[in-house]
Amino acid sequence: MKAGWVDFKTIKDTVSIEQVLAHYGINWLRRNGDELRGKCPIHPKAEGERSFHVNLEKNLFHCFSCGAKGSGVLELVAALDNISIREAGLKLQNVFVVRQGSGEKRSAAGPRKDSKPAEKVKEPEVINPPLTFQLRVDSSHEYGLSRGLTKETLEEFGAGMCISKGTFAGRFIIPLHDEKGSLVGYAGRSIDEKEPKYLFPASAHGFHKKYLLFNLHRVAKKSAFRGPVIVVEGFFDCMKVHQAGLACVGILGSALSQEQEDLLCEYFPRGVVLCFDGDSAGRSATEDCITRLVRRVFVKAIFLPEGKQPDMLTAEELQKLLAFEEGGRNENRHA
């Protein structure tokens, strides 16, 4: 490799965010599934003991206090050291001694005696395999009704209080399906704000939510649907918009994965209408999605007032806010 040459692709393929955090001694982040949360290491004076989030599966980081965010190890190192992406690439090559095209990595200081060489985690050949069982739910539980959903909507989605024994017992669960309609998992929502707020199946069992768009299979099977589709963050947002009679999918959080982006563009070539939460995370997610999607499809963005979420609005408010008129394509358009 020539001096000064940066092999960005190999760096992204071989160096993980977890390795970078360990190298910088950032060991105070608490893990919850595929996410790490804690005090921001980029701007230590940023407020909040849990403001800094790292999504290990989607390879994203975001501080909801200072606003720092990015995708991948290059942007993280650039933010930590306040250097350019190229300088970050050179540093990563030197620290982890990335061999161009080899897919191998090791620490520049050599492996510790009490540790094994880090290996890249390989995803299973079958992503999100269909479940061989179904959990029993009580769709009439007051929690779902308190979120503005009718019993009919909850039954349609199969959502409700889990009355089966096991991991999700005592949680409000929402079935997860792939684009073909196969049941591939459940999300369990805590009803008493107990951490974690949402519980997902373990990735070790082949589950990866970055490959899913919530409610995609219902919208996709409607042959008469022409789009655009409304895109929201969460389950309850999506169910509430669906209940109002509008086609909607959810991205299961405030970060759009590359796989979800591809699904949106494949299934909804006529475009998307973004309607994320009215907070800093929602606004950041909106801007990120606009930047990425506008190159491929028509994009319209709806910005909700501070503190508002789609599931807080009435059916009439949602229909008025999100109704899409063919003749109004220029309104809020990003191109």
Side-chain angles (χ1 to χ4, degrees):
M1 187 185 298
K2 295 180 180 179
W5 174 263
V6 182
D7 187 348
F8 292 108
K9 183 180 186 304
T10 300
I11 291 172
K12 291 178 181 179
D13 289 344
T14 58
V15 183
S16 70
I17 277 187
E18 283 186 282
Q19 286 178 290
V20 171
L21 293 173
H23 173 73
Y24 280 82
I26 302 170
N27 56 8
W28 60 85
L29 302 179
R30 297 183 61 183
R31 183 159 188 161
N32 178 14
D34 291 322
E35 294 204 0
L36 302 175
R37 299 180 184 179
K39 190 172 180 61
C40 181
I42 299 171
H43 299 96
K45 294 184 179 180
E47 298 179 357
E49 293 299 319
R50 292 169 57 83
S51 61
F52 186 73
H53 291 203
V54 176
N55 189 304
L56 300 173
E57 185 176 10
K58 295 182 179 180
N59 217 31
L60 302 171
F61 67 91
H62 187 187
C63 177
F64 296 102
S65 176
C66 69
K69 63 178 181 177
S71 173
V73 294
L74 291 164
E75 293 185 22
L76 178 58
V77 171
L80 287 168
D81 290 340
N82 193 25
I83 57 179
S84 68
I85 294 294
R86 185 177 184 280
E87 290 172 319
L90 286 170
K91 181 168 186 175
L92 284 166
Q93 277 185 170
N94 292 331
V95 170
F96 292 97
V97 193
V98 177
R99 297 180 184 177
Q100 185 177 16
S102 69
E104 300 177 5
K105 56 182 177 292
R106 62 180 177 85
S107 169
R112 289 165 39 188
K113 294 181 180 180
D114 60 345
S115 65
K116 296 180 180 180
E119 296 181 357
K120 186 179 179 181
V121 177
K122 294 183 179 180
E123 294 180 352
E125 293 182 4
V126 179
I127 302 296
N128 297 332
L131 296 184
T132 57
F133 64 90
Q134 290 188 20
L135 298 178
R136 294 183 297 119
V137 303
D138 175 12
S139 295
S140 63
H141 190 274
E142 60 182 4
Y143 181 79
L145 302 175
S146 72
R147 298 295 297 262
L149 299 172
T150 65
K151 186 172 182 291
E152 291 71 26
T153 297
L154 293 167
E155 288 178 342
E156 179 183 1
F157 280 84
M161 178 59 63
C162 180
I163 55 178
S164 293
K165 295 180 180 180
T167 304
F168 292 99
R171 285 179 174 266
F172 193 90
I173 58 174
I174 303 100
L176 305 174
H177 300 82
D178 61 20
E179 65 269 28
K180 297 178 181 178
S182 297
L183 177 65
V184 297
Y186 288 89
R189 208 305 187 173
S190 169
I191 64 172
D192 55 7
E193 303 307 319
K194 179 182 179 180
E195 292 292 342
K197 179 185 290 187
Y198 277 100
L199 188 65
F200 289 91
S203 58
H205 296 156
F207 179 83
H208 299 271
K209 64 180 181 178
K210 67 180 179 179
Y211 290 93
L212 302 179
L213 286 174
F214 182 63
N215 199 42
L216 173 60
H217 68 294
R218 292 187 183 86
V219 179
K221 73 179 182 181
K222 295 180 179 178
S223 58
F225 178 69
R226 302 290 296 170
V229 69
I230 297 160
V231 182
V232 296
E233 294 183 35
F235 303 107
F236 292 95
D237 297 325
C238 186
M239 289 189 284
K240 189 69 175 289
V241 174
H242 175 90
Q243 182 174 277
L246 302 168
C248 182
V249 296
I251 63 173
L252 313 181
S254 59
L256 181 73
S257 70
Q258 182 60 55
E259 292 79 7
Q260 291 172 327
E261 176 185 331
D262 292 339
L263 285 172
L264 285 175
C265 296
E266 176 186 351
Y267 281 91
F268 310 108
R270 295 194 64 181
V272 300
V273 178
L274 306 173
C275 187
F276 296 153
D277 295 354
D279 55 19
S280 60
R283 288 188 287 273
S284 296
T286 301
E287 295 300 330
D288 176 62
C289 288
I290 289 172
T291 301
R292 293 165 56 182
L293 292 170
V294 75
R295 304 168 186 168
R296 305 176 65 180
V297 294
F298 163 81
V299 182
K300 179 178 179 179
I302 304 293
F303 293 90
L304 296 182
E306 183 68 33
K308 287 289 186 180
Q309 299 175 189
D311 70 323
M312 296 178 178
L313 305 179
T314 66
E316 293 74 19
E317 290 172 327
L318 287 169
Q319 290 167 353
K320 182 178 180 180
L321 183 66
L322 299 173
F324 181 82
E325 298 295 340
E326 189 69 26
R329 278 196 164 219
N330 291 325
E331 181 183 359
N332 292 330
R333 182 172 183 175
H334 298 264

